[in-house]
């Protein structure tokens, strides 16, 4: 029996980066996956990759703006209709804009960051947690960041949003412990994903040089790998972490110990 046999999870931001790696990891461990992304084609590509070689469908593509309540509610309902139940959600959807400090950050950038990085977790919890309770219990994992503990210059909204994710995780964990719903967060250092590449905005040797500069403060010598984050998420969703709730786990190669 595989670790997540007969378990169903929704992964937001599942079409790329940390979300994509998480979809593949959980599916490899036997889970049924709702691959949710703003871009349907990205979600479909990941779902098709997962379903290849399986006699029955174990992944479906979900298109939703995670800042929109109706879209989130619909995606949750579609997943439950397809698989019959829902045991958890991994909130990987997130953005980084390089928005500047409070003087330079625009109101639009602030509102967008808070909506995608924080409101989405509130909305997913609103519609997913009742389904988890109906399933007899399960788990929520939120993607925060090491920059919810420490901060960079020129990222006021990002720092505020990830700090909010950490404390929202704690509140959700306290609220729903008696419901047999565990809620934890994973806090990566800068990760080697399309998100960071888009933020850097360079290519080729210049991109690699920028990545090396970002990796320099990490004692283990490289950017966070998506597979490492996915493995930590799998642990927090699994029975191996049955008595763990409300934690924010750094997956950062030692970044925060300095």
């Amino acid at each position: 029996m595989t670790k997540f046999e007969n378990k169903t999870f929704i992964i937001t931001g599942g079409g790329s980066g940390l979300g994509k790696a998480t979809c593949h990891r959980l599916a490899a461990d036997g889970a049924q996956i709702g691959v949710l992304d703003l871009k349907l084609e990205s979600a479909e590509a990941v779902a098709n990759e997962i379903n290849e070689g399986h006699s029955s469908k174990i992944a479906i593509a979900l298109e939703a703006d995670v800042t929109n309540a109706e879209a989130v509610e619909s995606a949750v309902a579609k997943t439950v209709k397809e698989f019959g139940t829902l045991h958890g959600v991994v909130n990987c959807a997130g953005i980084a804009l390089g928005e500047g400090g409070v003087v330079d950050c625009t109101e639009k950038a602030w509102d967008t960051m808070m909506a995608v990085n924080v409101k989405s977790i509130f909305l997913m919890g609103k519609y997913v947690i009742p389904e988890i309770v109906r399933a007899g219990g399960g788990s929520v994992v939120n993607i925060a960041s090491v920059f919810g503990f420490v901060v960079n210059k020129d990222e006021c909204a990002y720092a505020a949003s990830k700090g909010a994710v950490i404390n929202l995780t704690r509140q959700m964990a306290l609220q729903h412990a008696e419901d047999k719903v565990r809620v934890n967060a994973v806090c990566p250092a800068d990760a080697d994903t399309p998100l960071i590449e888009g933020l850097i905005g360079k290519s080729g040797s210049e991109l690699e040089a920028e990545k090396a500069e970002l990796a320099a403060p990490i004692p283990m010598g490289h950017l966070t790998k998506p597979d490492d984050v996915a493995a930590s998420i799998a642990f927090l969703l699994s029975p191996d972490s049955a008595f763990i709730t409300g934690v924010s786990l750094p997956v950062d190669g030692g970044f925060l110990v300095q």
Side-chain angles (χ1 to χ4, degrees):
M1 181 175 179
T2 53
K3 184 181 295 186
F4 296 123
E5 187 173 350
N6 299 319
K7 301 295 184 183
T8 302
F9 303 105
I10 292 175
I11 316 301
T12 75
S16 66
L18 302 181
K20 179 178 179 179
T22 300
C23 288
H24 279 284
R25 173 59 189 256
L26 299 182
D29 285 338
Q32 301 169 134
I33 305 294
V35 184
L36 190 154
D37 203 273
L38 183 62
K39 299 177 181 179
L40 180 58
E41 61 272 23
S42 297
E44 288 176 334
V46 173
N48 289 339
E49 289 169 4
I50 291 171
N51 287 324
E52 187 176 354
H54 289 270
S55 57
S56 60
K57 185 188 297 184
I58 66 166
I60 60 170
L62 303 166
E63 180 182 22
D65 176 353
V66 289
T67 70
N68 181 281
E70 289 183 3
V72 170
E73 184 178 22
S74 177
V76 171
K78 183 177 179 180
T79 305
V80 173
K81 183 178 180 180
E82 178 71 29
F83 296 119
T85 189
L86 185 58
H87 301 91
V89 61
V90 183
N91 288 301
C92 289
I95 57 172
L97 299 175
E99 68 281 359
V102 294
V103 174
D104 296 320
C105 179
T106 66
E107 184 178 1
K108 180 180 179 180
W110 177 275
D111 289 345
T112 300
M113 192 84 73
M114 291 298 174
V116 177
N117 290 0
V118 186
K119 182 183 177 182
S120 64
I121 293 174
F122 155 69
L123 289 176
M124 290 304 300
K126 176 178 287 293
Y127 295 109
V128 168
I129 287 175
E131 297 296 339
I132 298 175
V133 173
R134 275 189 277 275
S139 186
V140 174
V141 177
N142 302 321
I143 299 297
S145 170
V146 292
F147 298 112
F149 297 106
V150 298
V151 298
N152 279 332
K153 293 173 67 176
D154 298 324
E155 289 186 335
C156 67
Y158 186 79
S161 72
K162 292 304 184 179
V165 171
I166 289 169
N167 226 28
L168 179 56
T169 297
R170 289 159 53 86
Q171 192 282 329
M172 292 169 69
L174 179 63
Q175 186 84 45
H176 295 288
E178 293 182 356
D179 298 324
K180 299 181 181 179
V181 180
R182 298 184 300 108
V183 186
N184 295 292
V186 171
C187 302
D190 284 322
D192 195 357
T193 65
L195 176 67
I196 201 73
E197 291 180 0
L199 191 61
I200 291 171
K202 296 179 180 179
S203 61
S205 61
E206 290 185 343
L207 173 61
E208 294 308 312
E210 291 281 355
K211 285 184 178 181
E213 186 174 336
L214 289 173
I218 299 174
M220 292 186 73
H222 59 78
L223 295 177
T224 308
K225 296 178 181 178
D227 285 347
D228 290 333
V229 176
S232 300
I233 290 168
F235 166 70
L236 290 172
L237 290 174
S238 78
D240 292 338
S241 61
F243 204 55
I244 298 174
T245 194
V247 307
S248 293
L249 175 66
V251 182
D252 66 350
F255 180 85
L256 287 176
V257 302
Q258 302 175 90

